[in-house]
Amino acid sequence: MWIASVAATMALLLSSSLAHALPSRAPAGPFLQELGNETWVIGNDIWNMTQGRQYGVKLFYGGHDCVGDAVGHYVSYNGAQSDLNWTSASIEKEGTYRDTQYIDVKFVAREGDMHWVIFSGLAGAYQYFVNRDLPVLGEFRTLWRLDNATFTHGKTGLHDEALPPLSDYRPENKVQDETWLKPDGSGGYLTKYDLTDWIRTQTYYGVYGEQFGSWYINAGKDYYNGNHLKQELMVHRESKTGDAVQLNMIHGTHFQVSAVDEFPEGKMWGPWLWYLNDGSREDAAQRAIDEFVTWPYAWFEDEAYQRRGSVRGQLRLSDGRPATHAAVFLGDNGGNKTALDMGSDYYYTGYADAEGRFEFRNVRAATYGLQAWSNGSETADVTTEYRRKDVVVTAGETTDLETMTWRVSDKTKIFQVGDFDRTSDGFAHGGAPYEHGLVEKCPADLHFTAGVSLTEDWCFGQSKRGSWFISFSLEKSPPPLPEAGHAQSKGSNSHSYSTGVSSRVWANDVVIGNLTSGTAPGLLNDPSLYRSATTAGEWRYFEFPFDAGTVLRKGVNEIRFEVTSNTTWRGFMWDSVVLEW
C-alpha cells in the first residue's frame, strides 16, 4: 500500500502478480501509472486502484484491499450483458484548484470515456462519463462490487441495515427475480428490491463496515433519467458471489415500463463523488452537505457544464386557485414520452410553493419543455396536467415565464377516491417501506362508500381475483343534453400496472372498460408492484366514458373493478379514482 511505509507497501503489493511492475515508493500526489498489458494504477497518497481491461481489481485504502475476492469496479449497460473494455488511459488534464493539485484520468472505450478526477489528499475521486457511441439502451451504470467481510452494511436515504449473509440465498427458496423466501421459516422474503430508494432526493449512499465505508454523493442530478418519482437500486448483496454492491444506476429501468433512450454524442453523466472513509455515516453526511453547497463544481472546466441559467414562473389554475405545491419538471421539448421515461438529455425537478411559484437554478443552457401536475394537498382534485414547450434557458440569465394558466376540468365531480398525486399515499399500505409481496395484504373484495368511507379504507394495490366496489348516491338522474341523448359520465383512474392481471370496469351492471395486457393500448408491464414498490410505479391515466342516462340512476349506484384473472404479486397500484359528468 502506497500510503504507509515502503516496507508495508511492498508487503501488500507482493501478494499481487503485478508487484514487480509497481514503483518502490508512493508518488507525492495524484497519479496514473501504466503497468503494461492493458493494466494501470490510479490514485493519490491516500488510496490506489489497479484497473484492468474491464475491472478495477484492487483498491488499497488504509492498508487494506477493499475489493478482495470481489469483482471490483466496472461500467456496463443493459444489465451485466455489456461491460465496457478500456483500451487506453491518459491524463487528459492536470491543474490546481484552491492550492490543491488534481489530475483528470480518462479511460477510453469504444462507447465513451470514463473519467476519474483525483485530487491530492482526497479519499476517493470525482467520476464522470462522456458518451461517444453508446447504443440505444435502458440500463447504464457504474458500480463497485466490494469485499463482503469489509463492507457488511448498506445505507441509503431510507435504509440503514446489515446486508443479508450469502448463506440465506438458498436456491430451493427462490420465488422470482432476485427474490427468495427467508430460510428462518418466518414467511418473509429476501430481495434486493427492498433496498430501493428515490433517485432525486438521495444525498449519499453506499456500503460500510466497522473500519471502511465507500459512498456515492451525486450532488447534481440533471444527468439522471426520469422525474420526481424515479426510484432505483442503490445497494445490495450480490446473490451469486456475496459481493457488497454499491450501484450507481445513472440510467435505470427497474421500476418502469420502458426507458429506452438514444444519447447524443457528448452526453455527460456526472461528475459525482465517490468517497472513502472509515465507515462513518456522519462523516459521509457532512461531506454530502459540502458537495451540494459547491455544486455545480467550479473546478470542472467544461464549457457546456458551466453554461447555466435559471427558470422561474407561477402556475395558476383556470378556476382561480394557485397551483399549490405542484410538481414541476423541465425535460424534453416535445415528443410523446412521459416525464418518467425521458432520459436522453438533462432533466430538472422541483415543486411550486403555496402560491404556485417555482424556480429552477443552475439549469444547463438549452431549450426545454415544462410540465406540471398535482402533488396532492390543495390541488389533489386536479386531474389535468400543464405543458409548455420552447422554454429557452440562456447562460447567465433568468428566464421569467411569468404567470401561466393551467386548465382544469370543468365537469361536475361525483366522487373521488385518493389524491391525484401519482402516488398511492393515503391508501392502506400506500407509502409503506419497500416490502416484497405487501399487496397480498390487500383484500380480494372491497366495499367503499363515497362520502362515508375514509381514504385509508381503499388499499394501495389490487391483485387478487374479486371485486372492489365504490358505492355512491345521486339525488337525481343525470340531466339530458340538448339535441342529444343523455349526459356522458367519465370514470377515470390512474395507477401503475404489472401484467398478469385482467380487470373489467363496471358501472352498475354495464361493462364500461377493461384493464389487461394486450387489449388496452400501451398497457405494458411495469414491475414495480412485484419488485417491492409501495408508493409509485409507471403512472398511467385511463378514462372510461359511458352514457350516464342509460347506466346511472337516482339513488345508489356502483362502480366496480373486477379482477377476472390474476398472477401472484401482480396487478394495479392505485393513485386515484374519479367519476365526473
Side-chain angles (χ1 to χ4, degrees), residues 449-489:
T449 302
V452 177
S453 299
L454 302 176
T455 302
E456 55 264 35
D457 294 331
W458 193 262
C459 207
F460 87 105
Q462 185 180 10
S463 178
K464 299 173 182 176
R465 292 192 186 191
S467 292
W468 289 20
F469 297 85
I470 303 173
S471 298
F472 61 99
S473 295
L474 296 178
E475 294 183 357
K476 58 183 179 180
S477 297
L481 290 174
E483 301 179 5
H486 297 281
Q488 185 186 74
S489 281

Coordinates of all heavy atoms in Angstrom, one line a residue, residues 449-489:
T449 N -67.7 3.3 0.3 CA -68.9 4.2 0.1 C -68.4 5.6 0.0 O -67.8 6.2 1.0 CB -69.9 4.0 1.2 OG1 -70.3 2.7 1.3 CG2 -71.1 4.9 0.9
A450 N -68.6 6.2 -1.2 CA -68.2 7.6 -1.4 C -68.9 8.5 -0.4 O -70.1 8.4 -0.2 CB -68.5 8.1 -2.8
G451 N -68.1 9.4 0.3 CA -68.7 10.3 1.2 C -68.8 9.8 2.6 O -69.1 10.5 3.6
V452 N -68.5 8.5 2.8 CA -68.6 7.8 4.1 C -67.3 7.1 4.4 O -66.8 7.4 5.5 CB -69.8 6.8 4.1 CG1 -69.8 6.0 5.5 CG2 -71.1 7.5 3.8
S453 N -66.8 6.3 3.5 CA -65.6 5.6 3.8 C -64.4 6.6 3.8 O -64.4 7.7 3.2 CB -65.3 4.5 2.7 OG -66.4 3.6 2.7
L454 N -63.3 6.2 4.5 CA -62.1 7.0 4.6 C -61.2 6.6 3.5 O -61.2 5.4 3.0 CB -61.5 6.9 5.9 CG -62.3 7.2 7.1 CD1 -61.5 6.9 8.4 CD2 -62.7 8.7 7.1
T455 N -60.3 7.5 3.1 CA -59.3 7.1 2.0 C -58.5 5.9 2.4 O -58.3 5.0 1.5 CB -58.3 8.3 1.8 OG1 -59.0 9.5 1.5 CG2 -57.3 8.0 0.8
E456 N -58.2 5.7 3.7 CA -57.4 4.6 4.1 C -58.2 3.3 4.0 O -57.6 2.2 4.2 CB -56.8 4.8 5.4 CG -57.8 5.1 6.5 CD -57.9 6.6 6.8 OE1 -57.7 7.4 5.8 OE2 -58.1 7.0 7.9
D457 N -59.5 3.3 3.8 CA -60.3 2.1 3.6 C -60.0 1.5 2.2 O -60.4 0.3 2.0 CB -61.8 2.4 3.8 CG -62.1 2.8 5.2 OD1 -61.4 2.4 6.1 OD2 -63.1 3.6 5.4
W458 N -59.5 2.3 1.3 CA -59.1 1.7 0.0 C -57.7 1.2 0.1 O -56.8 1.8 0.9 CB -59.2 2.8 -1.0 CG -59.1 2.4 -2.5 CD1 -58.0 2.4 -3.3 CD2 -60.1 1.9 -3.3 NE1 -58.3 2.0 -4.5 CE2 -59.6 1.7 -4.6 CE3 -61.5 1.7 -3.1 CZ2 -60.4 1.2 -5.6 CZ3 -62.3 1.2 -4.1 CH2 -61.7 1.0 -5.4
C459 N -57.3 0.1 -0.5 CA -55.9 -0.4 -0.4 C -55.1 0.0 -1.6 O -55.6 0.4 -2.6 CB -56.0 -1.9 -0.3 SG -54.6 -2.7 0.6
F460 N -53.8 0.0 -1.3 CA -52.9 0.6 -2.3 C -52.8 -0.2 -3.6 O -52.4 0.3 -4.7 CB -51.5 0.8 -1.7 CG -50.6 -0.4 -1.8 CD1 -49.5 -0.5 -2.7 CD2 -50.8 -1.5 -1.0 CE1 -48.7 -1.6 -2.8 CE2 -49.9 -2.6 -1.1 CZ -48.9 -2.7 -2.0
G461 N -53.0 -1.5 -3.5 CA -52.9 -2.3 -4.7 C -54.0 -3.4 -4.8 O -54.4 -3.9 -3.8
Q462 N -54.3 -3.8 -6.0 CA -55.3 -4.8 -6.3 C -54.7 -5.9 -7.1 O -54.2 -5.6 -8.2 CB -56.6 -4.2 -7.0 CG -57.7 -5.2 -7.2 CD -58.9 -4.6 -7.9 OE1 -58.8 -3.5 -8.4 NE2 -60.0 -5.4 -7.9
S463 N -54.7 -7.1 -6.6 CA -54.0 -8.2 -7.2 C -54.9 -9.5 -7.3 O -54.8 -10.3 -8.2 CB -52.7 -8.5 -6.6 OG -52.0 -9.6 -7.1
K464 N -55.7 -9.7 -6.3 CA -56.4 -11.0 -6.1 C -57.7 -11.0 -7.0 O -58.3 -9.9 -7.2 CB -56.7 -11.2 -4.7 CG -55.5 -11.4 -3.8 CD -55.9 -11.4 -2.3 CE -54.7 -11.5 -1.4 NZ -55.1 -11.5 0.0
R465 N -58.2 -12.2 -7.3 CA -59.5 -12.2 -8.0 C -60.6 -11.8 -7.0 O -60.6 -12.2 -5.9 CB -59.7 -13.7 -8.5 CG -58.8 -14.1 -9.6 CD -59.3 -15.4 -10.2 NE -58.4 -16.0 -11.2 CZ -58.7 -17.0 -12.0 NH1 -59.9 -17.5 -11.9 NH2 -57.8 -17.4 -12.9
G466 N -61.4 -11.0 -7.6 CA -62.5 -10.5 -6.7 C -62.9 -9.1 -7.3 O -62.5 -8.7 -8.4
S467 N -63.8 -8.4 -6.5 CA -64.3 -7.1 -7.0 C -64.1 -6.1 -5.9 O -64.4 -6.3 -4.7 CB -65.8 -7.3 -7.3 OG -66.0 -8.1 -8.5
W468 N -63.8 -4.9 -6.3 CA -63.7 -3.7 -5.5 C -64.8 -2.8 -5.9 O -64.9 -2.3 -7.1 CB -62.4 -3.0 -5.6 CG -61.2 -3.8 -4.9 CD1 -61.2 -5.1 -4.6 CD2 -60.0 -3.2 -4.5 NE1 -60.0 -5.4 -4.0 CE2 -59.2 -4.3 -4.0 CE3 -59.4 -2.0 -4.6 CZ2 -57.9 -4.1 -3.5 CZ3 -58.1 -1.8 -4.1 CH2 -57.4 -2.9 -3.5
F469 N -65.7 -2.4 -5.0 CA -66.9 -1.7 -5.2 C -66.8 -0.2 -4.7 O -66.3 0.0 -3.6 CB -68.1 -2.3 -4.6 CG -68.5 -3.6 -5.1 CD1 -67.9 -4.8 -4.6 CD2 -69.5 -3.8 -6.1 CE1 -68.2 -6.1 -5.0 CE2 -69.8 -5.1 -6.6 CZ -69.2 -6.2 -6.0
I470 N -67.2 0.7 -5.4 CA -67.4 2.1 -4.9 C -68.9 2.4 -5.1 O -69.4 2.5 -6.2 CB -66.5 3.1 -5.7 CG1 -65.1 2.7 -5.7 CG2 -66.8 4.5 -5.2 CD1 -64.2 3.6 -6.6
S471 N -69.5 2.6 -4.0 CA -71.0 2.9 -4.0 C -71.1 4.4 -3.8 O -70.4 5.1 -3.1 CB -71.7 2.2 -2.8 OG -71.6 0.8 -3.0
F472 N -72.0 5.0 -4.6 CA -72.3 6.4 -4.5 C -73.7 6.7 -4.8 O -74.4 5.9 -5.4 CB -71.4 7.2 -5.5 CG -71.6 6.8 -6.9 CD1 -72.4 7.6 -7.7 CD2 -71.0 5.7 -7.5 CE1 -72.6 7.3 -9.1 CE2 -71.3 5.4 -8.8 CZ -72.1 6.2 -9.6
S473 N -74.3 7.8 -4.2 CA -75.7 8.1 -4.4 C -75.9 9.4 -5.2 O -75.1 10.3 -5.2 CB -76.3 8.4 -3.0 OG -76.3 7.2 -2.3
L474 N -76.9 9.3 -6.1 CA -77.3 10.5 -6.9 C -78.7 11.0 -6.4 O -79.6 10.1 -6.3 CB -77.3 10.1 -8.4 CG -76.0 9.8 -9.0 CD1 -76.2 9.4 -10.5 CD2 -75.0 10.9 -8.9
E475 N -78.8 12.3 -6.2 CA -80.1 12.8 -5.8 C -81.1 12.8 -6.9 O -82.3 12.9 -6.7 CB -79.9 14.2 -5.2 CG -79.1 14.2 -3.9 CD -79.0 15.6 -3.4 OE1 -79.5 16.6 -4.0 OE2 -78.4 15.8 -2.3
K476 N -80.6 12.8 -8.2 CA -81.5 12.8 -9.3 C -80.7 12.1 -10.5 O -79.5 11.9 -10.5 CB -81.9 14.2 -9.8 CG -80.7 15.1 -10.1 CD -81.2 16.5 -10.4 CE -80.1 17.5 -10.7 NZ -80.5 18.8 -11.0
S477 N -81.5 11.7 -11.5 CA -80.9 11.1 -12.7 C -80.0 12.1 -13.4 O -80.3 13.3 -13.3 CB -82.0 10.5 -13.6 OG -82.7 9.5 -12.9
P478 N -79.1 11.6 -14.2 CA -78.2 12.5 -15.0 C -79.1 13.4 -15.9 O -80.1 12.9 -16.5 CB -77.3 11.6 -15.8 CG -77.3 10.3 -14.9 CD -78.6 10.2 -14.3
P479 N -78.8 14.6 -16.1 CA -79.6 15.5 -16.9 C -79.4 15.2 -18.4 O -78.4 14.8 -18.8 CB -79.0 16.9 -16.6 CG -77.6 16.7 -16.2 CD -77.6 15.3 -15.5
P480 N -80.5 15.4 -19.2 CA -80.3 15.2 -20.7 C -79.5 16.4 -21.3 O -79.4 17.5 -20.7 CB -81.8 15.3 -21.1 CG -82.5 16.1 -20.1 CD -81.8 15.8 -18.8
L481 N -78.9 16.1 -22.4 CA -78.1 17.1 -23.1 C -79.0 17.6 -24.3 O -79.7 16.8 -24.9 CB -76.8 16.4 -23.7 CG -75.8 16.1 -22.7 CD1 -74.6 15.4 -23.4 CD2 -75.2 17.3 -22.0
P482 N -78.9 18.9 -24.6 CA -79.7 19.4 -25.7 C -79.4 18.7 -27.0 O -78.2 18.5 -27.4 CB -79.2 20.9 -25.8 CG -78.7 21.2 -24.5 CD -78.1 19.9 -24.0
E483 N -80.4 18.3 -27.8 CA -80.3 17.7 -29.1 C -79.5 16.4 -29.0 O -78.8 16.1 -30.0 CB -79.8 18.6 -30.1 CG -80.6 19.9 -30.3 CD -80.0 20.8 -31.3 OE1 -79.0 20.5 -31.9 OE2 -80.6 21.9 -31.5
A484 N -79.4 15.8 -27.9 CA -78.6 14.6 -27.8 C -79.3 13.6 -26.8 O -80.4 14.0 -26.3 CB -77.2 14.9 -27.3
G485 N -78.7 12.5 -26.5 CA -79.3 11.6 -25.6 C -79.2 12.0 -24.2 O -79.9 12.8 -23.7
H486 N -78.2 11.5 -23.5 CA -78.0 11.7 -22.1 C -76.6 12.2 -21.8 O -75.8 12.1 -22.7 CB -78.3 10.5 -21.3 CG -79.7 10.0 -21.4 ND1 -80.8 10.5 -20.7 CD2 -80.3 9.0 -22.2 CE1 -81.9 9.9 -21.1 NE2 -81.6 9.0 -21.9
A487 N -76.4 12.7 -20.6 CA -75.1 13.2 -20.2 C -74.1 12.1 -20.3 O -74.4 10.9 -20.0 CB -75.2 13.8 -18.9
Q488 N -72.9 12.4 -20.6 CA -71.8 11.4 -20.6 C -71.0 11.5 -19.3 O -70.6 12.5 -18.9 CB -70.9 11.6 -21.8 CG -69.8 10.4 -21.9 CD -68.8 10.7 -23.0 OE1 -67.9 11.5 -22.8 NE2 -68.9 10.0 -24.1
S489 N -70.9 10.3 -18.6 CA -70.1 10.3 -17.4 C -68.7 9.8 -17.8 O -68.6 9.0 -18.8 CB -70.7 9.4 -16.4 OG -71.7 10.0 -15.7

